[in-house]
Amino acid sequence: MDAVSLSNRLESNFNKFLITATRVKKVRESDVYLAKRDVDTFYEGIFLKTVTSFESFVEELFIGLLYEKYDLPTRKKIQKIAFEDRKTVLNFLLLNGQKKYLDLLPFDKLKKNYKVFYKDENPFAVLSSSQKDILNQVFILRNAIAHNSITANKKFKKFLEDNHPALISIKTPSQFLQTLNNPNQTMFEVYLIELNSIANSFCNFR
């Protein structure tokens, strides 16, 4: 199966999220009242759905390439080991049951895993420094929303200080995701588009 079909499926899901977010944005620009709490909850939810969809995509591609379920444009042999099936791959990745779930993201975890199973030239190793940074930012936001712990919130505040000092007064990731990167694009939309670009770069590796 062509790996591009996998990124196309992700893009289709992302487009649905984008359409929904655009509708909410237009309602907010109209005279219709939306409670701030409802809007915040919406952006938290749709961002988590976006990240979860991307995580599922990476997991499926990472596993599928190892037992040659998916084909890439490249003719290079990218795996260190070719596995027979998905079950065998999962046994290796989960250390025969010692781990309860896969942990492939953000980038430092992805790198740790691909170095074990893939050769140096592989689709997961081609990300630019800016794409790696995007992944790290996404998971700082994701963790601050999902866990709402002291540690996660400190990392979120540090992220704002280092990357968006003009927005340091923002209290929550949801409020940050609603801010405008430009007059027509929220930060949520920026991250969705960047994740889609990363997925395409994985599946178009040559």
Side-chain angles (χ1 to χ4, degrees), residues 29 42 73 100 125 191:
E29 292 169 352
F42 166 77
K100 293 183 179 180
Y191 286 120

Side-chain angles (χ1 to χ4, degrees), residues 11-200:
E11 184 173 6
S12 177
N13 287 334
F14 278 3
N15 283 338
K16 292 174 185 175
F17 299 157
L18 193 58
I19 289 169
T20 304
T22 300
R23 286 174 179 164
V24 170
K25 188 165 63 173
K26 286 182 177 178
V27 170
R28 293 184 71 195
E29 292 169 352
S30 70
D31 294 331
V32 177
Y33 172 75
L34 286 177
K36 179 180 177 300
R37 180 180 296 179
D38 292 339
V39 176
D40 288 348
T41 300
F42 166 77
Y43 273 95
E44 286 179 354
I46 202 165
F47 182 74
L48 289 179
K49 279 189 175 182
T50 299
V51 177
T52 300
S53 296
F54 183 77
E55 287 179 299
S56 297
F57 158 80
V58 171
E59 180 178 314
E60 176 64 19
L61 183 65
F62 192 97
I63 294 171
L65 289 174
L66 287 175
Y67 71 100
E68 300 182 338
K69 176 181 179 180
Y70 298 108
D71 300 316
L72 296 169
T74 183
R75 294 188 177 185
K76 300 172 185 175
K77 182 72 174 177
I78 61 171
Q79 307 94 334
K80 288 183 179 178
I81 308 169
F83 292 86
E84 290 185 5
D85 52 38
R86 184 182 185 87
K87 183 178 179 180
T88 309
V89 176
L90 282 173
N91 280 338
F92 271 83
L93 285 170
L94 297 176
L95 304 177
N96 291 318
Q98 293 180 45
K99 293 172 66 177
K100 293 183 179 180
Y101 56 89
L102 291 181
D103 201 9
L104 297 177
L105 292 166
F107 182 75
D108 59 337
K109 293 179 180 178
L110 182 61
K111 183 178 180 180
K112 182 179 179 181
N113 280 280
Y114 76 60
K115 280 187 169 292
V116 174
F117 295 97
Y118 288 91
K119 296 181 179 180
D120 289 342
E121 290 190 66
N122 70 78
F124 307 104
V126 299
L127 295 184
S128 66
S129 58
S130 63
Q131 287 175 318
K132 294 173 188 176
D133 192 43
I134 286 291
L135 282 181
N136 289 332
Q137 291 178 28
V138 163
F139 278 83
I140 287 171
L141 294 167
R142 179 253 186 210
N143 291 340
I145 292 171
H147 303 305
N148 195 26
S149 65
I150 293 173
T151 300
N153 287 329
K154 280 184 177 179
K155 288 183 178 180
F156 169 63
K157 286 299 182 184
K158 183 69 165 57
F159 156 71
L160 287 182
E161 290 172 3
D162 293 344
N163 298 277
H164 301 277
L167 302 177
I168 194 62
S169 62
I170 284 178
K171 302 296 183 184
T172 67
S174 178
Q175 292 172 13
F176 171 73
L177 291 167
Q178 296 169 55
T179 60
L180 296 177
N181 180 58
N182 63 52
N184 299 309
Q185 190 178 59
T186 63
M187 289 305 302
F188 163 72
E189 292 166 324
V190 169
Y191 286 120
L192 182 147
I193 291 167
E194 290 291 344
L195 289 177
N196 188 62
S197 176
I198 290 171
N200 284 329

